[in-house]
Amino acid sequence: MNIRRPEKIVLLGFLSHFPVAGVAWQTVHYLIGLQRLGFDVYYVEAHGCTPSKLMRSDDDDGALRAATYISEIMTRFGLGDRWAYHAPYPSPRFFGMTESALRDVYASAALLINLHGSHLPTADLTATNRLVYLGTDPVDVEIDLFDQKQESIDYLAPHCAFFSYGENLRKPDCRVPVPRQFDFKPTRQPVVLNFWKDAGGGAASTFTTIGNWKQLGRPVRFQGEVYRWSKHLEFQKVIDLPRRVAQPFELALASYGEADERLLQNKGWRVRPAIEFTLDLDAYREYIGQSRGEFTVAKDQNVRLRSGWFSDRAATYLAAGRPVITQETGFSNLMPTGTGLFAFSTLDEAVAAVEAVNADYEKHRRGAFDVAREFFDHEVVLKRLLDDVGVSFSRPSILADRKREVLPASMRVAPVSRWPTRLAEETIKIALDLPTPSATAKPSGNGASIVIVTHQGLAYTKLCLTALLGNGWDARDELIVVDNASTDGTVGFLRELSQMNPFVKLILNETNRGFAAANTQGIAVAINPYLILLNSDTLVLPGWRDRLLQRLSDASVGLVGPVTNRTCNEAQIDAPYVTYGELEHFARERTIQFDGVSSEIPMLAMYCVALRKEVYEQVGPLDERFEIGMFEDDDYAMRMRVAEYRILCTEDVFVHHFGQASLGELCTNGKYDEIFETNRRRFEMKWGMAWRPHGRRVTPEYRELRERIRQSAADLLPHGARVMVVSKGDEELLNLGGACGLHFPQDGSGDYANVYPADSTEAIAQLESLRSRGAEFLLIPKPAFWWLDFYSDFKVHLESRYRPVMHDDETCVIFDVGGRHG
């Protein structure tokens, strides 16, 4: 089926017929998930069913109550003008969109998704041959088709594509008959993960579930057997579970009576009415988020026929980081079990699953979210559905190419040393052995021009360009590489790169012209309306480019950049990964958690920044007076603000920055400090103001750490003691109550040095110099514990000579350096 690039998608649903939070969340995940893929989404109900559950009497205006209910949900999620309720009886009435607007949407929509099969295929819905059937309860329809029921055949025939939550269909162990008349494709519930981030708190002591206890109707007959719908029959198979494990269980139920409640309570189950919270979306989400996990069962028909059905509610437990133990339906053929998600068929298996979760709860919490991210994320599910229908989408996926290994997942990206930055030998070998990357290009004149300056560092450059071209290169873009007289093989690699990729422009300088001048050279040949300056010691992840450029659609924004693991200001965040695979995982979680979030920032370091070319032409090129580098980014931020442009840090884009790959080499010969001071003076003379070190991002956890350090110093150190603090420039860390805090390392004036010691020898020398001038203690906060690993001889020096006053793995280490020990 070939459909032009879509703009609108209509979701046909059943919110007013089942006005409960679970159905509302199920529907919202489709709407917002599709919207986040770039579609203009509309929600419509035109099924003609009486909204009896919303009506307070037979004479009540059910249509008005239905429209009010739908309007409240749509407005909450920013779709207040994107919904319609069509009540055909007794005379046609339209709420939300007008009749003519609704028909225009039907006619122009790329797809109309018939969620749950909730709508009859009327002429309005089928006129464009874009009506898609999406069945969320497998078995019934498939058996009707097997039995050649004409009513079901006639109902399905006007649809153009068919989907089912029966994901195990066609697998050897699945007994659900495969429809011959229609090509049913598997799908599952999408979840917008950040809706469930931090959904609840508390002790999380109780396994819970939410559902109906008894539903005696809708039995299914197939090949001489009867398959039941009601879940109470399956719960009876594990009803003794609470007596087998020391673990509380609670069932939030509808459709149960006093006898049912007594039976369950006598067996150790807690029971509460689901109605207490299932009418409210927030209360429903909080209930799930405050649970220890979900323990539940499936319907008999899904269990014995092994349809592969998986609960949309269970998917939200997983997204909230709550482990799920559920009855096997064949879903274990489709997703991993054993960490965060368990399938059981017997009481003994259920007991074992509960015990496994409780043996390492945090592991299974992480595993639950991993399953949600890998299998239920809205991009994973909806991209597959759209691909199966033949619809492309405009917004790039953060999960693009995730299954194809761009760089080895086990490759270490954390440096083994700093100042200068040094990579592990195995990482260098992997980098140098990488083939020259290539990508397709369709220059259109409306993409981005990405400028990279190189000088030596072949391993970094190969890693950078492999990630850049492998993680979703946009065919509209051009790549401009300016090399500053490299002699380590970089030039040969770049020549081969440009020969293999016609979108690459290569400029080779005979001398090192410095960062500013080289970028100016590159921008001078750029043809696109957007510019991105990217360091050669970075690794970009899927979706990075588009999320940066999206912020530039705001004319008030002049410069945008990502968050990172290493930079000089508030754009640096805690990033506890070591390998490339862990980096990918971390970046995906970050994007999901902070989707669409930006924050203003005083300055962006130019390891990765984007701007419109028209803004660059207004503000002007980077100032070449800063020569080889440093302070040109501070200067450019000042010029942006003078031109009254905003500077944004995009919280949902994470770019790995090795940092100091080139400039760090200057530490080995003492030139770094010289260049830093020279350029600082140049900056201060140009702007007539003193330069101040940049701020750092302060999280609540870091504030708590500061307070613990302050209290520890007050409790343990003499009043007036002079304490060296590995501060990274944080003045607040020097506030030690009665003690006097000193930056370590520091420059000649006592300010933070802004550069780490080159090695242990230099670290020891700086320590002993300050000690000889009266420093009595050394305090190393938790974020600086890496000093004791990296400067290993420095650690030996401390531990062999000086008495430890305090060693708290969650706070700090303090050494008494005022006298020798032993």
Side-chain angles (χ1 to χ4, degrees):
M1 171 175 141
N2 295 317
I3 296 179
R4 64 175 173 81
R5 187 167 180 153
E7 294 180 354
K8 299 184 181 75
I9 288 183
V10 174
L11 187 73
L12 304 165
F14 235 10
L15 285 175
S16 67
H17 197 62
F18 296 102
V20 292
V23 174
W25 277 116
Q26 183 177 33
T27 305
V28 165
H29 285 306
Y30 276 99
L31 288 167
I32 303 305
L34 289 166
Q35 183 186 64
R36 292 188 179 186
L37 292 180
F39 291 99
D40 188 8
V41 294
Y42 294 81
Y43 179 75
V44 176
E45 290 195 25
H47 43 67
C49 296
T50 301
S52 54
K53 294 182 175 64
L54 290 169
M55 295 171 63
R56 298 177 182 177
S57 68
D58 291 342
D59 298 328
D60 202 358
D61 189 342
L64 179 58
R65 290 201 178 276
T68 301
Y69 176 72
I70 294 167
S71 176
E72 289 173 352
I73 295 174
M74 295 302 114
T75 300
R76 168 175 174 166
F77 292 97
L79 300 173
D81 60 346
R82 292 290 191 274
W83 67 273
Y85 181 78
H86 175 198
Y89 311 112
S91 59
R93 299 166 70 191
F94 291 84
F95 299 83
M97 289 185 290
T98 64
E99 179 178 3
S100 61
L102 178 58
R103 295 193 190 285
D104 286 345
V105 169
Y106 286 159
S108 59
L111 292 178
L112 295 91
I113 299 176
N114 191 0
L115 184 62
H116 318 295
S118 55
H119 284 60
L120 294 173
T122 61
D124 284 343
L125 302 179
T126 61
T128 60
N129 192 33
R130 294 175 182 171
L131 182 63
V132 173
Y133 173 82
L134 203 167
T136 55
D137 272 310
V139 178
D140 288 41
V141 169
E142 288 84 350
I143 290 177
D144 281 353
L145 294 174
F146 177 82
D147 291 338
Q148 295 290 304
K149 289 190 176 180
Q150 195 61 45
E151 181 181 2
S152 295
I153 295 171
D154 292 344
Y155 168 76
L156 288 168
H159 295 80
C160 69
F162 309 88
F163 291 88
S164 170
Y165 276 19
E167 285 198 86
N168 207 37
L169 196 66
R170 298 184 180 87
K171 298 292 193 301
D173 60 335
C174 180
R175 294 179 54 212
V176 179
V178 178
R180 297 190 300 272
Q181 306 93 327
F182 308 106
D183 182 17
F184 273 64
K185 295 184 182 299
T187 191
R188 62 176 72 104
Q189 174 66 38
V191 178
V192 179
L193 296 179
N194 60 344
F195 285 158
W196 298 88
K197 180 79 173 175
D198 301 321
S205 61
T206 304
F207 276 89
T208 66
T209 193
I210 308 161
N212 290 293
W213 177 249
K214 276 184 182 175
Q215 292 176 294
L216 299 180
R218 300 182 65 176
V220 175
R221 290 173 173 81
F222 178 57
Q223 294 184 334
E225 293 190 49
V226 176
Y227 297 90
R228 303 295 180 182
W229 181 267
S230 181
K231 287 187 177 180
H232 82 283
L233 299 170
E234 299 305 306
F235 266 113
Q236 287 175 354
K237 297 176 181 178
V238 291
I239 201 164
D240 290 323
L241 178 63
R243 295 180 174 179
R244 294 280 303 274
V245 289
Q247 167 62 56
F249 295 90
E250 180 173 280
L251 306 179
L253 298 177
S255 305
Y256 70 103
E258 292 181 3
D260 301 315
E261 184 173 6
R262 284 195 301 272
L263 169 67
L264 289 165
Q265 289 175 340
N266 288 338
K267 293 292 186 178
W269 300 84
R270 300 178 190 169
V271 179
R272 68 178 291 184
I275 195 68
E276 291 177 352
F277 61 87
T278 53
L279 298 182
D280 181 273
L281 272 70
D282 293 319
Y284 178 92
R285 179 173 57 183
E286 186 174 310
Y287 182 78
I288 288 174
Q290 291 179 344
S291 300
R292 187 167 185 81
E294 183 179 37
F295 179 86
T296 192
V297 299
K299 300 180 183 75
D300 169 52
Q301 59 188 36
N302 288 313
V303 172
R304 284 198 287 151
L305 294 175
R306 292 183 67 86
S307 69
W309 174 86
F310 192 87
S311 162
D312 59 280
R313 181 193 59 255
T316 61
Y317 273 88
L318 294 171
R322 304 301 173 185
V324 169
I325 303 170
T326 185
Q327 200 170 11
E328 175 69 277
T329 65
F331 69 83
S332 64
N333 291 336
L334 309 157
M335 59 191 79
T337 57
T339 304
L341 173 62
F342 292 82
F344 72 86
S345 296
T346 66
L347 176 58
D348 287 343
E349 290 174 354
V351 169
V354 174
E355 291 175 342
V357 170
N358 287 341
D360 193 343
Y361 183 61
E362 288 304 315
K363 168 188 170 183
H364 291 288
R365 280 203 62 186
R366 294 191 299 270
F369 183 79
D370 287 344
V371 173
R373 187 189 65 249
E374 294 290 332
F375 293 91
F376 294 95
D377 181 273
H378 71 275
E379 290 204 22
V380 174
V381 176
L382 296 177
K383 180 180 183 296
R384 177 181 172 186
L385 185 149
L386 294 170
D387 285 345
D388 284 340
V389 176
V391 172
S392 61
F393 54 93
S394 58
R395 183 167 180 177
S397 169
I398 64 168
L399 308 168
D401 297 325
R402 69 188 298 174
K403 297 301 181 185
R404 180 171 61 83
E405 189 173 72
V406 175
L407 292 168
S410 61
M411 182 186 74
R412 181 186 175 99
V413 295
V416 295
S417 71
R418 290 286 187 192
W419 300 98
T421 299
R422 293 284 186 260
L423 301 180
E425 288 297 324
E426 181 61 23
T427 301
I428 295 172
K429 181 179 185 303
I430 290 171
L432 296 178
D433 288 344
L434 288 170
T436 301
S438 62
T440 58
K442 296 178 182 177
S444 62
N446 62 357
S449 297
I450 301 173
V451 181
I452 297 178
V453 175
T454 59
H455 174 68
Q456 310 293 45
L458 176 59
Y460 293 106
T461 300
K462 294 190 78 170
L463 290 170
C464 172
L465 292 172
T466 298
L468 175 64
L469 299 191
N471 277 327
W473 175 259
D474 192 298
R476 298 168 295 173
D477 292 349
E478 64 173 350
L479 174 61
I480 303 166
V481 185
V482 185
D483 183 75
N484 272 334
S486 296
T487 59
D488 63 346
T490 296
V491 172
F493 165 70
L494 294 176
R495 283 188 170 130
E496 184 175 349
L497 180 81
S498 64
Q499 291 169 1
M500 293 175 59
N501 298 282
F503 56 84
V504 175
K505 295 177 180 176
L506 181 59
I507 299 173
L508 301 176
N509 290 327
E510 295 183 357
T511 60
N512 185 353
R513 295 194 57 188
F515 182 79
N519 272 293
T520 300
Q521 284 180 279
I523 294 170
V525 300
I527 63 170
N528 285 325
Y530 297 101
L531 302 173
I532 299 177
L533 308 186
L534 184 68
N535 274 14
S536 61
D537 64 343
T538 57
L539 297 174
V540 298
L541 286 305
W544 73 284
R545 172 254 196 212
D546 292 76
R547 288 177 180 269
L548 290 179
L549 298 190
Q550 283 164 6
R551 272 52 175 219
L552 295 177
S553 61
D554 183 342
S556 70
V557 175
L559 197 67
V560 298
V563 292
T564 186
N565 59 300
R566 189 163 188 82
T567 189
C568 59
N569 65 356
E570 298 91 340
Q572 179 173 314
I573 63 172
D574 291 335
Y577 55 81
V578 174
T579 67
Y580 181 74
E582 292 168 351
L583 161 61
E584 289 185 304
H585 177 98
F586 175 82
R588 284 196 299 268
E589 283 196 356
R590 176 86 193 177
T591 298
I592 291 165
Q593 181 181 357
F594 291 94
D595 186 27
V597 178
S598 299
S599 58
E600 293 204 35
I601 192 169
M603 187 277 288
L604 286 170
M606 287 188 164
Y607 67 92
C608 178
V609 293
L611 67 163
R612 296 184 299 279
K613 193 173 184 182
E614 62 184 23
V615 172
Y616 173 84
E617 290 169 347
Q618 176 188 348
V619 176
L622 277 65
D623 192 335
E624 295 183 23
R625 79 182 70 187
F626 297 107
E627 297 178 350
I628 192 171
M630 289 190 282
F631 286 90
E632 68 285 325
D633 36 23
D634 292 86
D635 174 73
Y636 212 72
M638 291 289 290
R639 291 157 63 189
M640 279 283 175
R641 290 200 294 275
V642 167
E644 298 185 344
Y645 284 112
R646 297 162 62 214
I647 302 172
L648 291 188
C649 179
T650 54
E651 300 289 337
D652 59 357
V653 180
F654 182 88
V655 170
H656 174 77
H657 185 207
F658 288 106
Q660 294 86 41
S662 296
L663 288 176
E665 296 294 334
L666 300 173
C667 295
T668 60
N669 56 22
K671 289 185 178 180
Y672 184 94
D673 287 344
E674 178 185 333
I675 294 170
F676 182 92
E677 289 303 323
T678 298
N679 280 351
R680 176 163 72 170
R681 288 193 297 271
R682 286 170 173 159
F683 175 87
E684 291 176 344
M685 289 180 65
K686 177 176 180 178
W687 292 100
M689 59 183 288
W691 178 84
R692 292 286 181 263
H694 303 294
R696 295 284 174 173
R697 184 171 298 222
V698 179
T699 63
E701 293 78 12
Y702 187 70
R703 290 192 186 95
E704 292 175 6
L705 173 67
R706 280 175 174 167
E707 185 54 38
R708 292 200 306 273
I709 290 172
R710 186 176 295 117
Q711 189 61 51
S712 297
D715 292 344
L716 298 172
L717 303 182
H719 186 82
R722 293 169 58 80
V723 184
M724 296 174 283
V725 181
V726 182
S727 64
K728 205 173 183 180
D730 183 1
E731 296 289 339
E732 287 295 316
L733 278 179
L734 304 187
N735 181 4
L736 300 176
C740 175
L742 309 169
H743 286 296
F744 182 79
Q746 60 180 238
D747 60 18
S749 62
D751 293 330
Y752 179 65
N754 280 293
V755 60
Y756 293 119
D759 51 29
S760 287
T761 300
E762 186 175 322
I764 292 169
Q766 294 187 28
L767 170 76
E768 293 301 325
S769 175
L770 284 173
R771 193 178 76 86
S772 69
R773 286 180 277 151
E776 302 167 84
F777 295 90
L778 173 69
L779 188 154
I780 305 175
K782 179 182 177 182
F785 281 177
W786 63 268
W787 273 62
L788 299 176
D789 294 323
F790 174 60
Y791 299 117
S792 55
D793 289 344
F794 178 70
K795 177 183 179 182
V796 171
H797 181 83
L798 289 171
E799 292 179 344
S800 63
R801 292 171 176 261
Y802 303 119
R803 180 177 62 87
V805 176
M806 172 182 178
H807 190 137
D808 183 337
D809 287 340
E810 295 303 316
T811 305
C812 66
V813 176
I814 303 176
F815 287 94
D816 178 359
V817 300
R820 302 208 172 189
H821 177 62

